[in-house]
Amino acid sequence: MERLACYDCGETYAFGDAARCRCGEPLWFETDTTEFDWPDASEASGPTGSGVSLGRDTLWRYESVLPATEPTGLAAAAGGTPLFRAPSIEPADGPRIHLKVEGVNPTGSFKDRGTAVGICRIDGPVGTVSHGNMALSVAAHAAAADREAVVLVAEDTPDSRLAMIAQHDPHLFRVRGDYGRLYDDTLDGDLGAAFLNSDAPLRVAGQKTVAYEICEAFAPDAPDAIVLPVSSGGQASGVWKALRELDAAGLLSSVPRIYLAQAARCDPIARAYRRGDSCVEPVEGEPTVAVSINNADPPSGNRALAAVTETDGGVVSVAEETMIAETERLAADAGVSVEPSCAVATAAVRELAASGELDAADDVAVILTGSGYKYGASEADTSSVREVDRADVPAAVRDAMR
Amino acid sequence: MERLACYDCGETYAFGDAARCRCGEPLWFETDTTEFDWPDASEASGPTGSGVSLGRDTLWRYESVLPATEPTGLAAAAGGTPLFRAPSIEPADGPRIHLKVEGVNPTGSFKDRGTAVGICRIDGPVGTVSHGNMALSVAAHAAAADREAVVLVAEDTPDSRLAMIAQHDPHLFRVRGDYGRLYDDTLDGDLGAAFLNSDAPLRVAGQKTVAYEICEAFAPDAPDAIVLPVSSGGQASGVWKALRELDAAGLLSSVPRIYLAQAARCDPIARAYRRGDSCVEPVEGEPTVAVSINNADPPSGNRALAAVTETDGGVVSVAEETMIAETERLAADAGVSVEPSCAVATAAVRELAASGELDAADDVAVILTGSGYKYGASEADTSSVREVDRADVPAAVRDAMR
């Protein structure tokens, strides 16, 4: 479990010797899953049941293929998120959509998986370069584990997000200057903290468990596709790593195609995909409502691109108004509140169905990366609220439901 | 499963015939648990392990003692929340504190339990009188189940909360007039919707499952006490009902004491307890930071009081500054973000430890009813944030961690 390897050039390192491969690509923990089988294989119910019971057992059910041992406390509660079908948002003649609701993780996002595994594996102070879900996750888990945490946020991070992070009492710095370069600054490790950035090997090892849960819920079959938002590429890297491991273990009837979704206003990976390139070039991104995935120079972009091409998937760019409409659809029709950065994934499914890439024969698992409740208060739309006197309530209600 | 009974006078009714007992008290679903045993009894790990795996299996593991059958979709994801010990917040020489984190339910609060069971059991439109967690839960689950929902909120409900509820597209009414009386207005059912109010029998039947999960995690032992915030008394009613059922089933080595926590500025149940009365009288409540439990005339107050007296527990009133400090403590020391309405419970444990009512020999399970992230953005405290140039980050970080 202790060796790190570069998917791209094959170079290997001992854990702790390198943050990235000397070829520039991120590293993966090597995992031998050839002997791995589903825990309690007999329990497999498949998505026809509630689709929940298996997953709700937390990510630690996969401890045997993780570079950390099951802890107690908050980190023990990561993962094990619900997976259920949502017919109400399925396009006509389109695929069956199964929602993987990551917002029910302890800090409301998928980031808790990588944070939980990382913080259990390393000692001492931890850190991260993030102003969103990852910053909140690292700050909270560090507080729970009684560790010092360093959180470096961008200069333009709104106070409401900072306050949410600050409650967990990390060393919180709002950094002036090129925020993109900060990621590189933290790699050499002389900051006195182990940085659990988006594609750090330990984080990717934890993030992969969402794909383990999805595939186990479908066992002995497998979903036809897994669709997720992409920003740095760290989660896409984790999903692909999991599929490679499960395939090696002989646990996939077929390897799901990986589809990634980006905001059209900042879509470096989608552009490289359309060009047919294997390398992602930085773009001049524009501001987008999908703030959590607004990454113009993704550090694991090449890895994410490889995940897509090697599984015959694709990358979709989604327009602003489409993301906003999809966010509203998920809340109003599926009862799930998400950020636009997350709704971009089901919007992508809609576009892939329209183009015929996904059809009625497909089971698609969509990773809804984070809860919309955390940031909901910032965009208050109360236009649908009706004012009424108590005495007039019966008439008003009857009228509304006519 | 179909009979409703009044704990107080013993009167029984068929489900659907009455919303409350003619004696004025709320009704309970009758449940025969004499033959009930823990599902997969062999799996019981107790709180010495992660304390999570059992609970994470959702509330539907108790389907055999619920008045509803397991659904698919969002309602299937309710319950199964983490339970873990938090030594970092335990008072010196005080009890062992085990946190039951209800904030990881689909809409971020314990209310999803009662909503999930209720919406699966009844057909047609649903409704609720709430401006907080219950309103959000009913709106979201109704959206997921493709039902019409009626939500009646108080005139002074802030827009940020309304917006969060409105995204799930219920019929949302801001009602002018006596909000307390609205609860009674909805009981006669002529509003064309089934109201899942805080102490409706179906909701209480769902809310009871949190106590099932806590006790199963401790099996074959039992916690010495269960501490929770109290507002209407519906959740206290559910916890007590569960303990009575588990005791009847012979699954409790001893019956945990039930302790309830209120804000001192609005503590009708605590006052009745201190008076030694069995009836709760309405109070003139003052505004409190514990907005979610600010109930001056709790409809299940007598039931909550009986739960406390019959289990040799108690009711604690907590001061504003104590709740605020405890909210900060839970986030900074335990990594759990909660509302003050929720931190009131661990604050109560601290006071019970100081008075000697709880001591180092006790295992106490505290129900943290809701997530603090939903409303975090409204109180932005960024005083701890430091501004720094990128070039100065290494020095600033080293200095901070010195």
Side-chain angles (χ1 to χ4, degrees):
Chain A
M1 297 294 301
E2 292 313 288
R3 224 160 59 127
L4 302 183
C6 174
Y7 156 76
D8 199 41
C9 75
E11 190 68 59
T12 63
Y13 305 81
F15 175 60
D17 287 358
R20 287 176 83 87
C21 183
R22 62 178 62 90
C23 79
E25 287 297 292
L27 296 166
W28 272 345
F29 263 91
E30 287 197 330
T31 312
D32 178 6
T33 53
T34 49
E35 298 300 308
F36 179 75
D37 193 4
W38 296 126
D40 325 304
S42 61
E43 285 180 18
S45 66
T48 50
S50 72
V52 176
S53 56
L54 270 168
R56 298 290 272 181
D57 199 21
T58 88
L59 63 82
W60 296 102
R61 70 189 278 105
Y62 308 114
E63 181 178 14
S64 70
V65 287
L66 294 176
T69 53
E70 181 166 8
T72 57
L74 193 71
T81 57
L83 174 72
F84 53 81
R85 188 179 166 191
S88 59
I89 63 163
E90 292 171 357
D93 308 320
R96 289 175 292 281
I97 297 178
H98 306 267
L99 301 177
K100 184 63 171 171
V101 184
E102 289 288 277
V104 301
N105 273 290
T107 70
S109 90
F110 70 121
K111 292 293 188 179
D112 286 331
R113 295 177 183 271
T115 307
V117 168
I119 206 157
C120 297
R121 182 64 179 76
I122 53 184
D123 302 319
V126 294
T128 194
V129 179
S130 166
H131 49 269
N133 289 320
M134 186 161 57
L136 185 67
S137 180
V138 169
H141 284 271
D146 193 24
R147 306 281 191 84
E148 284 188 286
V150 176
V151 176
L152 307 177
V153 307
E155 193 171 1
D156 59 357
T157 306
D159 279 0
S160 59
R161 287 197 174 215
L162 285 182
M164 214 175 285
I165 299 163
Q167 72 183 312
H168 295 300
D169 204 25
H171 300 297
L172 187 50
F173 298 93
R174 180 157 20 195
V175 183
R176 289 179 292 259
D178 184 340
Y179 188 67
R181 305 288 307 283
L182 257 185
Y183 171 91
D184 304 313
D185 294 349
T186 61
L187 290 184
D188 61 16
D190 81 349
L191 289 179
F195 272 71
L196 288 169
N197 291 334
S198 59
D199 63 354
L202 278 169
R203 178 171 294 282
V204 172
Q207 300 300 149
K208 76 175 182 181
T209 57
V210 68
Y212 268 73
E213 289 175 11
I214 289 169
C215 292
E216 185 172 7
F218 279 86
D221 299 327
D224 298 287
I226 297 176
V227 183
L228 63 150
V230 63
S231 178
S232 69
Q235 178 62 78
S237 174
V239 168
W240 188 34
K241 187 177 196 295
L243 297 184
R244 290 159 56 99
E245 292 169 357
L246 294 175
D247 193 35
L251 294 174
L252 294 178
S253 55
S254 65
V255 179
R257 279 129 47 206
I258 296 174
Y259 291 95
L260 305 177
Q262 297 202 287
R265 288 189 176 177
C266 185
D267 61 349
I269 300 172
R271 291 188 200 189
Y273 174 75
R274 290 192 292 265
R275 283 197 308 268
D277 290 353
S278 60
C279 283
V280 175
E281 300 301 330
V283 298
E284 286 294 324
E286 300 167 57
T288 166
V289 293
V291 290
S292 298
I293 59 172
N294 191 1
N295 193 323
D297 185 13
S300 276
N302 298 342
R303 182 67 48 93
L305 197 53
V308 161
T309 51
E310 300 269 328
T311 61
D312 297 317
V315 189
V316 179
S317 301
V318 180
E320 293 294 293
E321 57 275 19
T322 306
M323 282 187 287
I324 293 166
E326 190 69 19
T327 304
E328 293 168 353
R329 186 200 311 270
L330 280 163
D333 297 346
V336 181
S337 175
V338 298
E339 300 173 65
S341 301
C342 181
V344 67
T346 49
V349 170
R350 222 166 287 290
E351 303 199 357
L352 290 164
S355 69
E357 176 90 15
L358 294 174
D359 61 34
D362 293 318
D363 278 292
V364 178
V366 181
I367 302 175
L368 297 181
T369 45
S371 168
Y373 295 128
K374 283 192 286 184
Y375 309 118
S378 48
E379 316 106 18
D381 173 7
T382 58
S383 54
S384 66
V385 180
R386 277 158 287 192
E387 311 277 341
V388 57
D389 292 323
R390 178 181 156 224
D392 302 329
V393 166
V397 169
R398 277 192 300 272
D399 183 58
M401 296 206 292
R402 192 169 283 130
Chain B
M1 295 294 303
E2 292 312 285
R3 223 161 60 129
L4 302 183
C6 174
Y7 155 76
D8 198 41
C9 74
E11 191 67 60
T12 63
Y13 304 82
F15 175 60
D17 287 357
R20 287 177 83 85
C21 183
R22 62 178 61 92
C23 79
E25 286 297 293
L27 296 166
W28 271 345
F29 262 93
E30 288 197 328
T31 312
D32 178 6
T33 54
T34 49
E35 299 300 308
F36 179 73
D37 193 6
W38 296 125
D40 325 304
S42 61
E43 286 180 19
S45 67
T48 50
S50 72
V52 176
S53 55
L54 271 169
R56 298 289 274 181
D57 199 19
T58 88
L59 63 83
W60 295 103
R61 69 190 276 105
Y62 308 114
E63 180 178 14
S64 70
V65 287
L66 294 176
T69 53
E70 181 167 8
T72 57
L74 192 71
T81 57
L83 174 73
F84 52 81
R85 187 179 167 191
S88 59
I89 63 163
E90 292 171 356
D93 307 320
R96 288 174 293 281
I97 296 178
H98 305 268
L99 301 177
K100 184 63 171 171
V101 185
E102 290 287 278
V104 301
N105 273 290
T107 71
S109 90
F110 70 120
K111 292 293 187 178
D112 286 331
R113 295 177 182 271
T115 307
V117 168
I119 206 157
C120 296
R121 182 64 178 75
I122 53 184
D123 303 319
V126 294
T128 194
V129 179
S130 167
H131 50 269
N133 289 321
M134 185 161 57
L136 185 66
S137 180
V138 169
H141 283 272
D146 193 24
R147 306 282 191 85
E148 283 189 285
V150 176
V151 177
L152 307 178
V153 308
E155 194 170 1
D156 59 357
T157 307
D159 279 359
S160 59
R161 288 197 174 215
L162 285 181
M164 214 176 286
I165 299 163
Q167 71 182 312
H168 296 301
D169 204 25
H171 301 297
L172 186 51
F173 298 93
R174 179 155 25 195
V175 183
R176 289 179 292 260
D178 184 339
Y179 188 66
R181 304 289 306 284
L182 257 184
Y183 171 92
D184 304 313
D185 294 349
T186 62
L187 291 184
D188 61 16
D190 81 349
L191 289 179
F195 273 71
L196 288 169
N197 291 334
S198 58
D199 62 355
L202 279 169
R203 178 171 293 282
V204 173
Q207 300 300 149
K208 77 176 181 180
T209 57
V210 68
Y212 269 75
E213 290 174 11
I214 290 169
C215 292
E216 185 172 6
F218 279 85
D221 298 328
D224 299 287
I226 297 177
V227 183
L228 63 149
V230 62
S231 179
S232 68
Q235 177 62 79
S237 174
V239 168
W240 188 35
K241 186 177 196 297
L243 296 184
R244 291 159 55 99
E245 293 170 356
L246 294 175
D247 193 34
L251 294 174
L252 294 179
S253 55
S254 65
V255 178
R257 278 131 43 209
I258 296 175
Y259 291 94
L260 305 177
Q262 298 203 288
R265 288 189 176 176
C266 184
D267 61 348
I269 301 172
R271 292 189 199 187
Y273 174 75
R274 289 192 293 265
R275 283 196 308 267
D277 289 354
S278 61
C279 282
V280 175
E281 300 301 330
V283 298
E284 284 295 324
E286 300 167 56
T288 166
V289 293
V291 290
S292 298
I293 58 171
N294 190 1
N295 193 322
D297 186 14
S300 276
N302 297 343
R303 182 67 48 92
L305 198 53
V308 161
T309 52
E310 301 268 328
T311 61
D312 296 318
V315 189
V316 178
S317 301
V318 181
E320 292 294 293
E321 56 276 18
T322 306
M323 282 187 287
I324 293 167
E326 190 69 20
T327 303
E328 293 169 353
R329 186 200 310 269
L330 279 163
D333 297 346
V336 180
S337 174
V338 298
E339 300 174 64
S341 302
C342 181
V344 67
T346 48
V349 170
R350 221 165 288 289
E351 303 200 358
L352 291 164
S355 69
E357 176 90 14
L358 294 174
D359 61 35
D362 293 318
D363 278 293
V364 178
V366 180
I367 301 175
L368 297 181
T369 45
S371 168
Y373 296 128
K374 284 192 285 185
Y375 310 117
S378 49
E379 316 106 17
D381 173 7
T382 58
S383 54
S384 65
V385 180
R386 277 158 287 192
E387 311 277 341
V388 58
D389 292 323
R390 178 182 155 223
D392 303 329
V393 165
V397 169
R398 278 192 300 272
D399 182 60
M401 297 205 294
R402 192 170 283 130

